[in-house]
Amino acid sequence: CDFRLGKVAARSWRKEQMRAIYEYRNRYPIRIDEDRSPAWAPENLEDLPQKRNAWKAYKAIGSLPQVKNTYGIVEGGYGIMNEVGVAIGESTCAAPWGSMPLSQNGSALFAIDSLMTLALERTS
């Protein structure tokens, strides 16, 4: 598990920018993205064997148009709360159906972590 927390600052985006979507990772490191927060920068990974290969394996599986402005958020494995006080809780349970991610020849672009983070970045 990855128990780190990161604060992602509010940002303004250019009209043509895209928001990358990553495959959910249920292992350490859950995310490597130096553009989001210093907490997720490669140099802040603990000195564990997975550090050497983690960066290569962390690639976007899709994207969507970025909105003009996003709210700052606090996130861990999932988005937690944004700067205007919107918070989302998550409770994982087994489901009878689902899809594999696009990166594994499935049809799912989003997993719960991406959906929660997008909602918090864009909702007041």
Side-chain angles (χ1 to χ4, degrees), residues 100-117:
M100 296 301 288
L102 291 172
S103 61
Q104 297 177 29
N105 297 319
S107 60
L109 174 59
F110 296 103
I112 189 64
D113 63 320
S114 295
L115 289 172
M116 290 173 71
T117 301

Side-chain angles (χ1 to χ4, degrees), residues 43-105:
E43 60 270 13
N44 287 330
L45 294 174
E46 293 179 35
D47 195 20
L48 298 170
Q50 55 268 53
K51 180 177 181 175
R52 289 187 289 276
N53 297 318
W55 184 252
K56 295 176 209 164
Y58 197 69
K59 304 286 184 212
I61 63 170
S63 62
L64 67 152
Q66 186 58 277
V67 294
K68 184 177 180 180
N69 297 297
T70 52
Y71 293 106
I73 68 170
V74 174
E75 63 184 1
Y78 301 104
I80 298 169
M81 186 173 181
N82 72 15
E83 66 182 280
V84 294
V86 175
I88 301 176
E90 189 275 338
S91 176
T92 304
C93 62
W97 61 83
S99 176
M100 296 301 288
L102 291 172
S103 61
Q104 297 177 29
N105 297 319

